[in-house]
Amino acid sequence: MSNGYPPQQPGQYGAYPPQQGYPPQQPGQYGAYPPQQPGQYGAYPPQQGVGYPPQPSAFGPPPPSAFGPPPPLPQHASPISPNKSIPLPPGARFTSSPISTFQIKILSARNLIAADVGGTSDPYVKIKTPATNGKDYKTRHISKSLNPIWNETFNIDLGNCVNDLVIIEVYDHDKVGSDDLIGFVALDPSTFPRGIEVVTTEQLSFVPHGEINIAITAINFGRELVPPTYKYDYERWRASIPSISKKGNEKLKNKHKKNEHKSKKNKPLGIYHNKYPPQGYSIINGYVKKNPSTAQQVGKDAKKLIKKLF
């Protein structure tokens, strides 16, 4: 017996007994065994690591146990109405302090009316509360601008954070004579969230157009335990409150006189019913009205007297 037994046909099967690689593979026919479909399952058997377990892009959404459900969309705490105060959210409460302090940042204004002959104004801002007692909280004036930027901050105390109103006034600075009021806005501190800064764009009343941007933080009072959406509900509510023009104030005054003869069951029209405004302002039908100055009142009285005489 010779070393080549049993005889092998070179190139037919290779060495005998058959080695790894048997049965013979036809290159390009099946490839590796077991056959794989490229791009269908990847390596076989599936390996722990990259690509295993199946990824969302190939096999649908991830299992809930691993990733959890998607976060819910933000929901507003309550319906918003421009003629009603924003309600206290369920589970929240209002807390006050003997001296209630809030911080206000006067940021900027836009589209102010032109009070000067040259078509511009020299605007500055005053902040008033019933407890300021004539103390001035005011910004510097910006020369010749209808879109001023101040970025000034004030800490102000309130005597009654539940009922007091805060009034923000915008004036045109005049070198000669008295400064002209070119808009104001009223704020109700009892709606502020405690310790949360709210940034709002307020429509100015008393004038045809104009708005002011402010940021407010109630430091040691306000609504507590509010939901995360309250900040945005408050900002959205403030943006929905319409301004009252100078003529609108006169219409409210006349309507107030007519309503005096009607039933007391009628609800006020505005959101500031039973609130206390600073000196120089009054509340009519739930809205804030700017009282005429002494000079304006004298002028009105003189006109009435002339009409009676002639």
Side-chain angles (χ1 to χ4, degrees):
M1 182 179 297
S2 63
N3 288 337
Y5 186 86
Q8 306 294 318
Q9 299 298 322
Q12 183 177 9
Y13 298 106
Y16 185 89
Q19 305 300 310
Q20 185 68 28
Y22 182 89
Q25 306 295 318
Q26 299 299 323
Q29 181 179 8
Y30 299 106
Y33 184 86
Q36 306 294 317
Q37 298 299 323
Q40 183 178 6
Y41 299 106
Y44 184 87
Q47 304 299 313
Q48 185 70 26
V50 178
Y52 189 89
Q55 302 302 306
S57 59
F59 295 93
S65 59
F67 296 91
L73 295 175
Q75 299 293 324
H76 293 297
S78 56
I80 301 299
S81 172
N83 292 325
K84 295 181 180 179
S85 182
I86 183 170
L88 187 70
R93 65 187 182 189
F94 183 86
T95 59
S96 61
S97 298
I99 299 178
S100 302
T101 304
F102 70 96
Q103 182 183 88
I104 181 168
K105 298 176 184 177
I106 306 298
L107 302 175
S108 61
R110 190 177 72 87
N111 196 27
L112 298 178
I113 66 169
D116 296 336
V117 178
T120 61
S121 293
D122 304 315
Y124 68 93
V125 174
K126 277 186 177 181
I127 306 161
K128 292 183 176 180
T129 74
T132 51
N133 295 325
K135 183 177 180 180
D136 282 341
Y137 294 95
K138 67 179 183 179
T139 68
R140 68 192 188 283
H141 77 270
I142 307 296
S143 298
K144 298 181 180 180
S145 177
L146 301 180
N147 302 289
I149 298 175
W150 293 285
N151 286 329
E152 298 188 34
T153 303
F154 305 88
N155 285 359
I156 300 176
D157 296 334
L158 293 169
N160 185 333
C161 61
V162 176
N163 298 111
D164 284 358
L165 284 182
V166 177
I167 300 291
I168 300 173
E169 299 176 319
V170 183
Y171 281 92
D172 170 53
H173 173 73
D174 288 328
K175 294 181 179 178
V176 179
S178 59
D179 296 343
D180 300 318
L181 179 66
I182 56 174
F184 73 86
V185 65
L187 303 173
D188 181 2
S190 69
T191 61
F192 296 169
R194 181 167 184 162
I196 301 173
E197 183 179 69
V198 286
V199 181
T200 60
T201 298
E202 305 284 348
Q203 302 299 317
L204 294 174
S205 292
F206 195 73
V207 287
H209 55 79
E211 59 187 35
I212 186 169
N213 302 314
I214 60 174
I216 292 179
T217 305
I219 296 175
N220 60 353
F221 72 96
R223 296 184 171 187
E224 296 181 328
L225 306 177
V226 295
T229 56
Y230 183 82
K231 165 184 167 69
Y232 307 104
D233 285 334
Y234 177 88
E235 293 170 352
R236 188 166 59 99
W237 169 64
R238 290 300 308 181
S240 72
I241 298 175
S243 63
I244 302 296
S245 67
K246 192 173 183 179
K247 291 183 179 180
N249 279 327
E250 295 301 322
K251 291 180 181 179
L252 284 173
K253 183 178 179 181
N254 295 333
K255 191 170 184 178
H256 176 65
K257 290 180 179 179
K258 293 179 182 179
N259 287 343
E260 286 178 348
H261 303 287
K262 294 182 179 181
S263 171
K264 293 183 179 180
K265 294 182 180 179
N266 290 340
K267 295 181 179 180
L269 298 177
I271 59 176
Y272 301 119
H273 185 58
N274 290 333
K275 299 296 180 179
Y276 304 144
Q279 185 177 3
Y281 290 84
S282 57
I283 305 295
I284 295 179
N285 291 329
Y287 289 93
V288 179
K289 174 185 176 293
K290 172 66 174 173
N291 297 335
S293 64
T294 303
Q296 290 172 334
Q297 189 62 49
V298 170
K300 286 184 178 181
D301 293 341
K303 288 181 180 180
K304 291 179 181 179
L305 181 60
I306 292 173
K307 286 183 179 181
K308 288 182 180 180
L309 294 176
F310 298 97

